[in-house]
Structure formats: structure tokens, C-alpha cells
Amino acid sequence: MRNIVFIAPPAAGKGTQANILKENYNIAHISTGDLLREEVKKESLLGKQIEDKMKSGQLIEDEIVTELLENRLMQDDTNNGYILDGYPRNIKQAKILEELLEKINKPIDHVIFLEIDEEEAMKRACGRLTCDKCGKIYNIYFDEMKPKKENICDDCNISLTHRADDNEESFKKRFRTYMESTKPLIDFYQNKGLLNVVDSSINKEHTSKQIKKILK
Ligand code: AMP
């Protein structure tokens, strides 16, 4: 089974690598950030409550994110495997996840830690553009990741979106939160024998090759 958890600083390439894995192995890509952004877009009551927090780079309450995640994990497309992108973000969430996955009998097979330094991650965040339709991620600062036509998705031919929290100030806050709350998960999963470290600082092909080796 390919049940995978990504742990990484913001903009390390979780979304890009998850899209590649989803295509190659036909498994579900579950991004809690995307689930939350969908709520904001729908302008639901929940969306209105979380919008400002997300924009400024703060974490959303564990209970809210966990409920969205639980509903998503129940869907049939996760039976073949899943990639969790953005959850858990702290030890409390990791423990909640452990219980939840035991209950639905979908335990984690691999935890993949994408390693990158703050300066490179900031460049990736500030230049990032996303297609809301197909989820493809572009970047204006890297030639190999630029869209063919400025600000237009190569595949869907629609305008790309720049995330509201992909600015310097919000990025720095997200990075600090990552160092304080998320990084301790590395030891947590190392102790469980599930951790794999991948250098994500070169380019997406280099990162993808290392991940494929782990999944073999
Ligand atoms: P991401 O798309 O993973 O970069 O997440 C974007 C934003 O969504 C984060 O900065 C948080 O505000 C929120 N978020 C995503 N996942 C979680 C989570 N597991 N716990 C709390 N907040 C989250």
C-alpha cells in the first residue's frame, strides 16, 4: 500500500511532488491547505472564520482541520493509497492522525521529510502560481517552472492564482511556526521507524527520483 505523509517547511515542494505521485500511482492527494482554501472560496461560515488567519500565516485550530481531513479520508479514492500534504503540523495532530488511521485501517507506510533551507523556500513561495482547476504549480523565478504564456495554465488555459499567504511576511511566520511546531515531528516519526529524508533543494526531478526510490 502507498500511504504517505509529507513533512516539510512551507513551499518545499509538497504539492508539486504530491501531484506527481498522484498521477504515477493513482492515489489520493489530500492537502489540508487546499481543503481550507476551498472553504474560504465557498465563503462558508467556516471559510469566513479562517480566512484572515490563513492570510497571515497562522495555523488553524486542530479540531477544524481534523474534521475536514477525517471526511476526506473516508472517500473511496483513498483505498488505493493517499498522500497527506500539510497534516500533521504538530505532535498533537500526529497523535490524532494515528488514532484516526487505526480506526479506518489505513496506517502510514512512509513519512517523507522534504529538506530545504529558508532562503530557497521563500523564493519558491513568493514566485508560486497555481492553477485552481488542475492543481499544477508554476514559479515565475525558475525558468523550468514558468508557464508558457504569462500567468496562464499550460494545460487548462485559464489564469493562474497567487496564494494570499505567499508573501514575505506571511512566509516568515509560517516558517517560524514550522520550526517550532512541525519540525519536532521528524523525531516522532524517526522513533516509529517511518522517516525518510529527501533533499528537496535542487529541482523537482531530483526530488521526485529520490521519492520513487523510497516507494520501490
Ligand atoms: P499549506 O497549503 O499546507 O501551505 O497550508 C496553508 C495554510 O493552511 C497554513 O498556513 C495554515 O493556515 C492552514 N493549514 C493547512 N494545514 C493545516 C494543519 N494541518 N493545521 C493547521 N492549519 C493548517
Side-chain angles (χ1 to χ4, degrees):
M1 189 55 85
R2 293 195 165 102
N3 295 341
I4 301 160
V5 168
F6 277 150
I7 305 285
K14 295 193 298 290
T16 302
Q17 295 303 324
N19 278 335
I20 297 174
L21 292 181
K22 181 184 161 185
E23 299 244 313
N24 288 349
Y25 299 111
N26 190 28
I27 53 181
H29 171 201
I30 304 178
S31 154
T32 44
D34 284 349
L35 294 175
L36 291 162
R37 279 185 286 276
E38 270 166 34
E39 290 300 319
V40 172
K41 219 162 141 197
K42 277 194 272 182
E43 297 184 0
S44 64
L45 193 61
L46 173 61
K48 285 185 182 139
Q49 283 166 8
I50 61 179
E51 187 173 11
D52 288 344
K53 267 197 173 172
M54 283 187 79
K55 251 191 213 157
S56 68
Q58 294 174 62
L59 288 184
I60 306 303
E61 290 79 359
D62 295 332
E63 295 70 24
I64 293 178
V65 191
T66 303
E67 192 181 333
L68 289 173
L69 175 74
E70 187 165 0
N71 291 337
R72 182 63 187 86
L73 273 169
M74 295 302 194
Q75 291 175 24
D76 287 346
D77 63 343
T78 63
N79 293 341
N80 199 32
Y82 57 76
I83 312 141
L84 289 192
D85 157 6
Y87 194 105
R89 282 287 224 280
N90 53 42
I91 299 279
K92 185 172 167 216
Q93 289 186 3
K95 290 183 177 162
I96 295 173
L97 181 67
E98 214 170 19
E99 265 183 39
L100 173 62
L101 294 176
E102 200 179 293
K103 198 169 73 186
I104 61 174
N105 197 23
K106 293 177 180 169
I108 300 170
D109 298 308
H110 309 277
V111 173
I112 298 178
F113 167 47
L114 301 180
E115 211 171 22
I116 188 170
D117 67 38
E118 183 172 357
E119 199 182 321
E120 175 69 15
M122 168 120 91
K123 209 168 144 194
R124 290 187 188 180
C126 294
R128 173 158 61 182
L129 293 172
T130 313
C131 174
D132 286 340
K133 194 168 170 206
C134 70
K136 193 164 168 185
I137 296 162
Y138 297 85
N139 197 299
I140 55 169
Y141 294 139
F142 302 95
D143 284 342
E144 71 282 9
M145 288 192 75
K146 282 183 187 164
K148 289 188 185 120
K149 266 193 253 164
E150 198 181 323
N151 212 34
I152 301 286
C153 176
D154 296 348
D155 301 329
C156 308
N157 209 27
I158 59 169
S159 292
L160 299 169
T161 310
H162 182 68
R163 276 172 48 172
D165 58 350
D166 274 344
N167 57 69
E168 195 173 328
E169 191 189 340
S170 177
F171 172 84
K172 283 190 172 155
K173 186 163 182 58
R174 283 151 65 209
F175 200 90
R176 261 201 317 277
T177 306
Y178 161 77
M179 293 301 281
E180 285 162 17
S181 306
T182 313
K183 214 167 173 216
L185 289 173
I186 293 170
D187 282 345
F188 180 87
Y189 285 119
Q190 173 93 61
N191 291 336
K192 291 187 182 292
L194 289 170
L195 189 77
N196 300 274
V197 181
V198 162
D199 173 10
S200 191
S201 66
I202 311 290
N203 57 35
K204 65 176 177 182
E205 287 77 19
H206 184 256
T207 307
S208 175
K209 257 192 210 156
Q210 296 171 79
I211 295 176
K212 278 190 191 143
K213 254 193 211 161
I214 294 165
L215 301 186
K216 261 188 193 164

